[in-house]
Amino acid sequence: MSAHPTTVTPETTAGTTVPVPTVPGVEGGRALNPNVPDGPPQSAWERRRLAYRLVNPANRRKLKVIVVGTGLAGSGAAAALGELGYQVEAFTYHDAPRRAHSVAAQGGINAARGRKVDNDSIDRFVVDTVKGGDFRGREADAYRLGEESVRVIDHMNAIGAPFAREYGGMLATRSFGGVQVSRTYYTRGQTGQQLQVAGAQALLRQVDAGTVTLRTRHEMLDLIVTDGQVQGVVMRNLLTGQITAHTAHAVVLATGGYGNVFYFSTLAKNSNASAAWRAVQRGALMASPSFIQFHPTALPVSSRWQSKTILMSESLRNDGRIWVPAKAGDERTPDQIPEDERDYYLERRYPTFGNLTPRDVASRNATEQIEAGHGVGPLRNSVYLDFRDAIARVGKQAIAERYGNLFEMYTHATGEDPYTTPMRIAPGAHFTMGGLWSDYDQMTSLPGLFVGGEAGWGYHGANRLGANSLLSAAVDGWFTLPYSVPSYLAGRLGSTPLEADAPAVQEALARTRARVDRLLGVGGTRSATSFHRELGDILYAGCGVHRTAASLTTAIDKIRALRAAFWTDLRVPGTGRRLNQELERAGRVADYLELAELMCLDALDREESCGAHFRGEHQIDGEAARDDERWSFVSAWEVPGDGRFVRHHEPLTFDAVPLQTRSYR
C-alpha cells in the first residue's frame, strides 16, 4: 500500500489476458475502441476538440437533434445546441424541465479550481477520481472532467447558481469523501436544485428564442434505427396515451441512472431505466451494469410499506461523526452511551480519511457493523451520524448555516431533532456507475446515439466520488456534447430526417404499440409495484453491498422466475389511451426485470472486487481485492434478446495515474 493516500506508487501494469466467460449463457466478444486520441491523457481533450469537424452557422438550422431528459446534462446539451443554432427537440416526462432528478443532489459540485491554498490541482483531481473509482474508469475521461470543471463553476455561477461565498466574496468550498482537499462548491444543501433551476432557465431561454421545442409529459418507449444509425425516438404522451414518432439527425439520451431497480433507493419514484434499456434492445452496449453505489448516508428503511429511502447529503460527513455502540445489541439511547463505549469505526479503521472515506468504503463498513449486531434504531438497521462535537466546536448557528435545510428535512422525515439527537443513517441504493457504453466522444455503439450524465458510464469507474455527479452531468451537457455532436452532424449535412411513413418509423411504432398491448393484456392479479418490491428484495440480498457467487446465482434464478410470473400474473387496469400510471409502472418494471438479470450476470462474471463491486471471495483484510492482471477492462454487454449475453471489453490503461492498491487508512 502507498505510504500516503494521495501518493501514487506503481504496483502492476494491466494484463492483456481477458478471462473467458464461465457463466452459463455468457459469451466472449470483441475488444472495443474507446476512440481516445493517441498521446498523453493530459492533453487528449484539447487535441480532440481541435480535430472535431465544424458546421457553418448558416447550416446549423438545417440539422436536428433530439435530447431526451432535461436534467443537468439534458438541459445543458439542449440549451447549448439550441444557442449554437441547431434545431433541438427536448423531451421530459415531467411537467416542467426543472423537476428533473438532478434537483435531488444536495451536497455540492467538485471543481479543480485550486482557489484555496491546499495544494489542489487538476492532476490531483484526476488522481482522486481514478483512484476513487478503483481504476475501473477511463483515465482520459477523468482528465476532461477535471479540465472542464473549472469552466463549469464559472459558467453555472454566471447563469445564476447562488453558490455559497466566503466573507470576502470568494466562492466557498468544503470537502467530500475520498479527498483531502476542499474542492466542493455548494449552495447549502440545495446544490442540485439550484444548478437544475439555472440549467432549466437556460433551456427555457432557448425555447423562447425558438431554437428548442420542449415537449413535457412524454416518455421515450423506443428508438428508430435504420441504415445502421439512430434517427429518432418513439414517445408516449403520458396524458393522452398517444404514441408518436419523432425523427432527427442525432439523438442524445440524458435519462439518468437505474438505481430504482432496487425498489428502495434514494431516487425519485419516476426515475427509471427504460430509455437506456430500449437502446440496449436496439443494439447499444451496457457497460459495467453491476457497479451500483450504495450511499452511506441514506435514511434507513423504517417500514416495509414505505415507497423509497431518503438521501442525506454526504456533505454532512464533514462535521458529523459516525459511530455505533461498542457492545453488540446495546439498546440504550445514544445519550445514555458514554464516550468510551462508542465505536467511531471509520476513524478507527481509516485514521487518515476518517469519516470522509469514499462512499463504497463507508457503506461496506456500515453494513458490516449492522450485520454484526451493532445496528441502532427500532429495526437495528442503521448507524449514528452525530453532530454533538461539531456544535460544541463551532456553535449551532454555524451548523445551521451549512446544513440547515438538511436538518429540517431529517426532522420532517423522522420526527427527531438532529441538533440534539444523532441522525440514524444506513446504506441505500443510489448512483449507478454503469450505463450505456460510449466512446470518448460520448457516442454509444449505435452511431447517432449519444449519452450524457448518469445514463453513461465513463468517469466514475467502480465508485463515484461524492460531488462528481453534478460535475459529470454538467461537463457532458455544457462542454462535451456541444462539441462532439456537431462533429457527427457535419457528416449528415445534406440529409433530411426520416419521413413519418418511412419503414423504420412505422416498424418502431408498431413494436411500441404491440408492447403496450401486451402489458395491458396479461390480465393477472398482481400490480407492477408488487413485482418491483419483490425484485428489490432479491437484489439487496443477492447483488447488494456484498455479493458472492452463491448469492448472485440464487438471485439470477429468482429473477428469471419472477419475470416469468410477471408476464403471466400482471394486472394493469385501464387502457393505454389516457393517463395511466399503472401502465407506466408496468413498462418500467418489465425493463427492470431484464436489466436486473444482466446486473447479476455481470457481477457473477467479474471475479474480483473493485470499488462498490465487493465479491466476498475476493478481499484482503476486509478491503476490495482487484485483479488487474485479468480484469483491467470495462465489460460492455450486448443483449441480442435470444437468451444470450455477449461480454465485449474495453481495455483500460493508466499512464498518468499508475495502478496502485487503493488505501484510505
Side-chain angles (χ1 to χ4, degrees):
M1 295 182 180
S2 57
H4 190 275
T6 56
T7 300
V8 179
T9 54
E11 289 191 344
T12 63
T13 56
T16 56
T17 301
V18 175
V20 176
T22 58
V23 178
V26 174
E27 302 175 6
R30 67 186 188 280
L32 301 173
N33 180 7
N35 202 23
V36 176
D38 293 334
Q42 294 92 331
S43 59
W45 182 227
E46 179 183 2
R47 288 179 282 115
R48 174 49 53 83
R49 289 201 309 269
L50 186 61
Y52 279 141
R53 300 176 65 183
L54 303 178
V55 178
N56 185 314
N59 286 328
R60 293 173 188 170
R61 66 181 66 95
K62 304 173 185 177
L63 296 164
K64 181 180 177 183
V65 181
I66 287 173
V67 179
V68 185
T70 59
L72 201 52
S75 63
L81 289 168
E83 188 150 5
L84 286 170
Y86 298 95
Q87 298 179 53
V88 179
E89 193 169 12
F91 292 90
T92 177
Y93 55 63
H94 296 289
D95 56 4
R98 64 179 290 171
R99 296 192 65 174
H101 191 59
S102 295
V103 300
Q106 301 162 337
I109 176 171
N110 286 335
R113 294 170 88 238
R115 297 300 193 263
K116 283 187 178 290
V117 187
D118 61 356
N119 201 18
D120 198 11
S121 64
I122 290 177
D123 285 337
R124 192 172 294 278
F125 172 95
V126 172
V127 169
D128 290 339
T129 299
V130 171
K131 176 185 169 184
D134 216 357
F135 295 87
R136 291 297 176 260
R138 192 185 284 148
E139 186 180 57
D141 283 21
Y143 266 104
R144 179 173 64 205
L145 193 67
E147 180 180 340
E148 294 292 6
S149 69
V150 178
R151 286 211 292 166
V152 163
I153 300 301
D154 292 339
H155 175 73
M156 299 309 295
N157 184 45
I159 65 173
F163 288 115
R165 295 179 181 270
E166 304 285 2
Y167 178 78
M170 296 288 288
L171 298 186
T173 56
R174 57 190 177 198
S175 297
F176 254 62
V179 305
Q180 293 180 299
V181 295
S182 182
R183 69 164 66 107
T184 304
Y185 295 77
Y186 63 97
T187 63
R188 296 182 71 190
Q190 306 171 359
T191 312
Q193 178 179 340
Q194 297 301 328
L195 296 186
Q196 177 63 31
V197 167
Q201 288 174 331
L203 172 61
L204 292 176
R205 177 174 175 268
Q206 293 307 309
V207 172
D208 183 65
T211 65
V212 176
T213 300
L214 175 65
R215 301 192 188 279
T216 59
R217 299 186 177 98
H218 279 71
E219 182 169 26
M220 186 189 124
L221 296 185
D222 214 334
L223 285 174
I224 300 169
V225 185
T226 186
D227 298 329
Q229 296 175 319
V230 172
Q231 300 194 43
V233 296
V234 175
M235 309 296 298
R236 180 175 183 270
N237 185 313
L238 297 179
L239 294 182
T240 68
Q242 183 182 16
I243 295 173
T244 54
H246 304 260
T247 59
H249 294 94
V251 174
V252 175
L253 292 188
T255 51
Y258 50 89
N260 258 346
V261 67
F262 283 84
Y263 187 79
F264 284 124
S265 84
T266 64
L267 277 67
K269 290 303 293 181
N270 274 337
S271 298
N272 64 84
S274 290
W277 190 248
R278 204 65 69 246
V280 172
Q281 291 179 326
R282 300 284 81 80
L285 304 180
M286 177 67 82
S288 307
S290 67
F291 288 0
I292 310 291
Q293 183 168 87
F294 293 84
H295 201 291
T297 55
L299 298 191
V301 174
S302 59
S303 168
R304 170 67 183 163
W305 301 111
Q306 70 187 64
S307 62
K308 66 185 297 296
T309 55
I310 297 175
L311 175 67
M312 289 286 106
S313 169
E314 180 182 317
S315 62
L316 294 168
R317 293 199 280 153
N318 272 282
D319 288 298
R321 299 181 70 192
I322 296 172
W323 64 276
V324 294
K327 178 183 176 182
D330 194 328
E331 297 185 359
R332 290 176 292 175
T333 59
D335 60 300
Q336 296 175 327
I337 302 176
E339 186 70 14
D340 60 355
E341 296 181 33
R342 301 181 177 194
D343 181 10
Y344 297 90
Y345 57 88
L346 289 178
E347 298 174 28
R348 170 173 55 82
R349 294 194 64 182
Y350 308 95
T352 302
F353 279 75
N355 295 296
L356 287 176
T357 57
R359 291 177 176 180
D360 62 313
V361 175
S363 289
R364 191 157 56 246
N365 276 268
T367 300
E368 290 173 356
Q369 294 294 329
I370 293 168
E371 292 178 348
H374 296 271
V376 300
L379 301 182
R380 300 295 175 193
N381 61 347
S382 54
V383 300
Y384 288 128
L385 179 62
D386 196 339
F387 291 86
R388 180 195 64 180
D389 294 346
I391 291 172
R393 184 178 68 253
V394 300
K396 180 178 178 180
Q397 181 60 31
I399 296 301
E401 290 174 357
R402 297 171 188 174
Y403 315 110
N405 65 301
L406 298 173
F407 278 40
E408 181 179 346
M409 184 169 69
Y410 182 87
T411 299
H412 286 320
T414 67
E416 300 174 0
D417 181 5
Y419 291 106
T420 58
T421 302
M423 288 184 178
R424 289 180 290 107
I425 58 171
H430 178 56
F431 188 90
T432 52
M433 284 75 67
L436 292 176
W437 182 86
S438 60
D439 66 10
Y440 189 63
D441 301 321
Q442 300 293 110
M443 189 156 72
T444 70
S445 53
L446 293 177
L449 179 64
F450 293 80
V451 65
E454 193 178 347
W457 77 278
Y459 301 107
H460 308 301
N463 173 68
R464 175 176 65 80
L465 291 185
N468 268 0
S469 175
L470 290 174
L471 175 61
S472 58
V475 167
D476 285 349
W478 288 105
F479 297 114
T480 302
L481 293 168
Y483 288 110
S484 62
V485 173
S487 182
Y488 172 80
L489 294 175
R492 302 295 312 281
L493 193 62
S495 66
T496 58
L498 290 174
E499 298 294 337
D501 59 354
V505 174
Q506 292 302 310
E507 178 186 345
L509 285 169
R511 187 169 57 233
T512 301
R513 291 172 181 141
R515 188 171 186 272
V516 169
D517 290 342
R518 185 185 179 196
L519 289 166
L520 290 166
V522 175
T525 63
R526 293 180 58 181
S527 69
T529 299
S530 73
F531 285 101
H532 194 184
R533 284 182 181 274
E534 188 173 343
L535 177 62
D537 291 341
I538 293 170
L539 289 175
Y540 265 109
C543 194
V545 176
H546 295 130
R547 302 102 182 259
T548 65
S551 75
L552 290 164
T553 301
T554 298
I556 291 169
D557 291 340
K558 288 183 176 180
I559 291 167
R560 289 170 177 169
L562 185 63
R563 188 167 65 241
F566 176 89
W567 287 109
T568 58
D569 200 20
L570 171 70
R571 179 179 181 270
V572 179
T575 72
R577 296 184 296 277
R578 52 163 290 178
L579 173 69
N580 189 339
Q581 291 185 311
E582 283 301 309
L583 176 59
E584 296 170 36
R585 293 188 186 99
R588 295 165 185 174
V589 173
D591 293 329
Y592 286 143
L593 286 165
E594 295 181 5
L595 171 59
E597 180 180 0
L598 179 60
M599 288 167 49
C600 293
L601 284 170
D602 181 47
L604 183 60
D605 176 64
R606 184 166 284 270
E607 286 282 357
E608 67 163 352
S609 290
C610 54
H613 170 62
F614 191 80
R615 284 283 299 269
E617 304 92 339
H618 303 288
Q619 57 180 302
I620 300 174
D621 296 330
E623 304 296 332
R626 293 195 323 263
D627 183 351
D628 294 323
E629 290 297 324
R630 302 173 68 243
W631 292 97
S632 190
F633 62 85
V634 175
S635 296
W637 294 88
E638 178 187 353
V639 185
D642 55 4
R644 295 181 300 127
F645 298 86
V646 183
R647 186 239 286 157
H648 304 290
H649 60 278
E650 178 194 327
L652 295 173
T653 58
F654 301 94
D655 299 321
V657 189
L659 287 163
Q660 62 165 317
T661 298
R662 185 171 178 249
S663 173
Y664 294 92
R665 296 181 185 271

